[in-house]
Amino acid sequence: MKGRRRPTAAVPGRPGRSAPGRSSRRRPSVGAVVAAVYLLALAVILLWPEHLDRHAGAVYRFFFRLFPGAGADSADVVINVLLFLPFGALLAPLSTRRPWAALAVAMGVPTLVELTQAVFLPGRTASVLDVIANGTGAIAGAVAVALWRRRSSARQRVSGG
């Protein structure tokens, strides 16, 4: 069978990669898809033209059951912190290599969002408290993931894994 090429198989020792010369598309990981969906949802929530508080009744009721003496302002702060915890988790790799850059992104993104709300979204109210709460959530998420990774790598070293 001279002149005919056999179909290209995967390269040994390189799972998911095809032999040289073959075009290979990598599928996005589940984590990358979840991150993209989260970031899209976050953008929609933060840049929606009007306040979404009136649609968050169930979240507020749950919060007030957990903390009966809390007011609407404290609920808003807690929700803003929680909203940015995953954002901080996405910053964790940057925070271990360049902590100042991660800090700048953690505080810069909420600042830009609030400025955008103030200038371009008249139905929204910009707030310094939101910047602080969002930034706190992002920083807490990054620190939590960085500490978790450090702890798990220390366990692997101890166990010899």
Side-chain angles (χ1 to χ4, degrees), residues 18-30:
S18 58
R22 287 289 278 185
S23 164
S24 162
R25 282 195 168 169
R26 293 187 69 175
R27 297 172 102 181
S29 69
V30 172

Side-chain angles (χ1 to χ4, degrees), residues 15-71:
R17 301 232 174 150
S18 58
R22 287 289 278 185
S23 164
S24 162
R25 282 195 168 169
R26 293 187 69 175
R27 297 172 102 181
S29 69
V30 172
V33 171
V34 169
V37 169
Y38 163 75
L39 290 172
L40 179 63
L42 183 64
V44 168
I45 290 167
L46 297 173
L47 300 174
W48 197 257
E50 57 190 42
H51 287 280
L52 295 175
D53 293 8
R54 67 180 128 183
H55 304 294
V59 175
Y60 281 101
R61 281 191 298 279
F62 177 73
F63 180 80
F64 292 133
R65 281 193 189 132
L66 287 176
F67 306 102

Side-chain angles (χ1 to χ4, degrees), residues 5 7 11 18 22 60-61 70 79 89 100 105 113 136 139 157:
R5 292 181 69 184
V11 175
S18 58
R22 287 289 278 185
Y60 281 101
R61 281 191 298 279
I79 290 167
W100 292 110
V105 172
V113 166
T136 300
I139 292 166
R157 283 192 302 263

